[in-house]
Amino acid sequence: MKRIILYGLSILLLTVLCVGITACGGNDDGDPGAQSGGSVSALVGQWKYTFSTGYQIYQFNNDGTGYSQEYDTQDGGWHSKHNYTYWYDSNNNKLTIQESGKTAEVYDVLGLSSTTLVINKPGSKGYKSFTKL
């Protein structure tokens, strides 16, 4: 009798675990910038990268679009605005940015929090650290 009860409880436990694991699966249908389980919500907003002669602004929108623009303190002006689409794969820590008519650029995301974004383009020296505005 104990054996039958133990067997029944084991099957019940396995069933509950299977249902629980299935229910935790990702669904990115409402998140256009997401890919392979990633979420763009952490990226959404405006980010600033400061360098010796100015800064760059990157805007990431909820719909997977955005733009970048650079301000040069030496000439005191804004450079042209670049519109793009982007994808963020949080499973592999990859951010892909593609400007219209150009080859997509893939970046390694070294860090992402509510205030800081750190990326590196594979093969390049160093990294860029952005602050959320």
Side-chain angles (χ1 to χ4, degrees), residues 41-91:
S41 60
L43 281 173
V44 171
Q46 215 171 49
W47 297 86
K48 182 179 182 180
Y49 169 68
T50 304
F51 52 93
S52 63
T53 61
Y55 56 90
Q56 290 178 324
I57 299 292
Y58 278 76
Q59 173 69 41
F60 294 98
N61 300 320
N62 278 326
D63 63 358
T65 64
Y67 70 85
S68 65
Q69 195 166 18
E70 185 174 306
Y71 183 81
D72 189 335
T73 56
Q74 290 181 334
D75 65 20
W78 286 98
H79 292 240
S80 60
K81 190 178 193 178
H82 301 278
N83 294 311
Y84 56 76
T85 56
Y86 71 96
W87 301 267
Y88 176 52
D89 180 350
S90 64
N91 292 332

Side-chain angles (χ1 to χ4, degrees), residues 21-32:
I21 290 171
T22 303
C24 292
N27 180 354
D28 298 320
D29 292 341
D31 204 349

Side-chain angles (χ1 to χ4, degrees), residues 108-125:
D108 293 324
V109 177
L110 305 177
L112 177 60
S113 72
S114 61
T115 59
T116 306
L117 167 64
V118 182
I119 62 172
N120 179 49
K121 188 173 181 181
S124 68
K125 296 178 182 176

